[in-house]
Amino acid sequence: MNILMDKEEIKTYIPHREPFLFVDQVLEFEPYKRILAVKTFPATEEFFKGHFPGHPVLPGVILTEALAQSAALLLAASLVKDENAGNPEGCYLMGLDKVKFRRIVVPEDRIQLQAEIVKLRSKIVTFKASAYVGESKAAEAEFMATFY
């Protein structure tokens, strides 16, 4: 798959920065519809030292944040590329629902982050998102966010 956005371009759409930027590349992007992004967490990430020693596992909250960032990226890039919309100042999480973890994610797993816009009304947007490692679903969630 071709890389549509690298990390430097991603930074032009969302405000997150290292060490809290959890999207490495975008492979697919359909404005106002869906995005496929990827993230690989190296074994050197500080949180792996304590979660869990001897058997490092990606914390669910970090995986959820990676999904939320991919959703925010979908919305922000859609708005910026839309000549009829203004540039958003920020996309803020309002709610999480139906969060489920299906398998553990370990250091060096390549995580595919899929997000789609379910509803966009005024300044409120609802997303569905899923994370995969290979063909195996690692997590899923629904998000509600607002943007300014």
Side-chain angles (χ1 to χ4, degrees):
M1 272 185 196
N2 292 333
I3 297 170
L4 296 180
M5 291 181 214
D6 64 12
K7 196 175 275 194
E8 292 309 307
E9 184 176 354
I10 290 165
K11 289 178 185 179
T12 67
Y13 298 115
I14 60 175
H16 305 80
R17 297 294 182 264
E18 291 84 1
F20 212 75
L21 177 60
F22 299 148
V23 181
D24 291 337
Q25 301 169 333
V26 173
L27 305 179
E28 297 175 9
F29 172 72
E30 293 178 61
Y32 296 111
K33 289 188 168 82
R34 60 179 294 279
I35 195 166
L36 173 62
V38 293
K39 174 65 182 170
T40 303
F41 289 95
T44 55
E45 289 283 359
E46 194 68 22
F47 50 75
F48 284 129
K49 291 179 185 178
H51 196 265
F52 298 98
H55 184 67
V57 174
L58 182 70
V61 68
I62 300 290
L63 185 54
T64 304
E65 176 65 23
L67 286 170
Q69 287 183 21
S70 65
L73 178 58
L74 167 59
L75 179 65
S78 296
L79 291 168
V80 169
K81 292 173 185 285
D82 183 346
E83 58 190 45
N84 296 316
N87 287 349
E89 290 181 30
C91 182
Y92 301 97
L93 191 62
M94 294 174 61
L96 294 167
D97 198 18
K98 300 180 183 170
V99 179
K100 295 185 176 138
F101 301 103
R102 305 289 186 187
R103 72 181 296 280
I104 64 168
V105 177
V106 297
E108 308 300 335
D109 276 348
R110 184 172 188 260
I111 307 162
Q112 297 174 34
L113 305 162
Q114 300 177 9
E116 66 181 68
I117 293 176
V118 175
K119 186 188 323 183
L120 175 59
R121 187 173 49 194
S122 186
K123 298 282 185 179
I124 306 292
V125 61
T126 304
F127 302 95
K128 276 189 175 181
S130 299
Y132 289 84
V133 176
E135 298 295 317
S136 180
K137 186 183 281 189
E140 60 189 277
E142 294 180 7
F143 300 95
M144 188 167 33
T146 187
F147 60 96
Y148 297 94

